[in-house]
Amino acid sequence: MEVENDSLISVIIPSYNSGKYLNQAISSVVHQTYKNIEIIMVNDGSTDATAQIAQDEGVILVNHVRNMGLGRTMRDGINAALNRGADIIVTIDADGQYRAEEIPLLITPITSGIADFVLGSRLKGKIEQMPPLKRWGNIQFTKLLRYLTGVGISDGQTGFRALTREAARHADISAGYTYTQEMIIKLAAQSFRIAEVPIHFDKRQSGESRLMTSAFDYAVRAMT
């Protein structure tokens, strides 16, 4: 598909107590050169200033009054984007480890008509910092995904993604912590075209990932 002048690109930013990063995250997305780009912030029951910052910045806010988990957060963000008529949906984390300036790189396979769902691969790109155990866990889970789907991906856990409206309608996220794998499995099973592009993955400024604190923790959550 081509990005026409009136094509809507919705960028979903899930946030749980990420208030100190949000101004920069929002600013980075806003500075993209697309004519029709919007930000949907999903506040997953944060106890910090996340919701207020989103309101002050004028972005679209989806608010959970309590913490619902990353899978529900992403599902609600995607549904909000679909309800607003998004043509392309991008997901990016709030903490600045993914670079908003690489959004054009991420959506190019979609706009050129060769993919419906694009993953930003950290393992094919440049990783500034990732603990060895997490890297090992990512590799092992991705091997399992390749086996299950037959799709030659290198980074099945990346949170930097883009998909078409039609792919988003069929993603049907239900899992609490394993939405990253669930989307790949479901879209591959429905013959949507999946591609990867290499991206940068920057060092976390502070705190821990809410998605996976360790490979063991992630495995336990994925099995429950």
Side-chain angles (χ1 to χ4, degrees), residues 150-172:
V151 179
I153 57 176
S154 64
D155 187 357
Q157 285 66 244
T158 177
F160 194 29
R161 302 168 166 221
L163 65 167
T164 65
R165 176 173 56 219
E166 191 63 20
R169 285 174 174 164
H170 289 81
D172 192 26

Side-chain angles (χ1 to χ4, degrees), residues 30-197:
V30 167
H31 281 92
Q32 300 312 301
T33 57
Y34 298 106
K35 180 179 179 180
N36 202 6
I37 188 168
E38 67 178 15
I39 299 171
I40 299 175
M41 176 76 64
V42 188
N43 172 36
D44 191 25
S46 298
T47 57
D48 66 358
T50 288
Q52 187 61 53
I53 291 170
Q55 291 174 342
D56 292 345
E57 291 282 357
V59 305
I60 299 152
L61 176 63
V62 177
N63 198 47
H64 292 169
V65 296
R66 63 181 178 86
N67 185 261
M68 304 294 288
L70 192 55
R72 174 66 179 270
T73 297
M74 295 308 304
R75 185 178 72 185
D76 289 352
I78 288 173
N79 286 341
L82 289 174
N83 289 337
R84 293 182 59 81
D87 297 291
I88 298 175
I89 298 172
V90 175
T91 67
I92 188 169
D93 289 354
D95 57 15
Q97 287 192 277
Y98 299 112
R99 298 182 179 183
E101 59 263 35
E102 293 186 329
I103 288 175
L105 175 68
L106 194 70
I107 70 173
T108 292
I110 292 175
T111 58
S112 60
I114 63 174
D116 307 298
F117 180 33
V118 183
L119 307 172
S121 174
R122 298 164 293 181
L123 295 173
K124 281 187 175 179
K126 182 177 177 60
I127 298 175
E128 185 174 323
Q129 183 185 66
M130 181 184 290
L133 186 58
K134 289 188 178 182
R135 186 190 290 259
W136 178 87
N138 283 335
I139 292 171
Q140 299 311 311
F141 276 108
T142 300
K143 285 181 179 179
L144 178 60
L145 281 173
R146 287 201 299 267
Y147 173 77
L148 292 174
T149 65
V151 179
I153 57 176
S154 64
D155 187 357
Q157 285 66 244
T158 177
F160 194 29
R161 302 168 166 221
L163 65 167
T164 65
R165 176 173 56 219
E166 191 63 20
R169 285 174 174 164
H170 289 81
D172 192 26
I173 298 171
S174 62
Y177 287 94
T178 58
Y179 88 93
T180 52
Q181 293 88 359
E182 184 180 17
M183 288 178 70
I184 295 168
I185 292 170
K186 289 183 174 179
L187 292 178
Q190 297 174 80
S191 299
F192 283 95
R193 298 165 299 170
I194 300 174
E196 280 189 325
V197 294

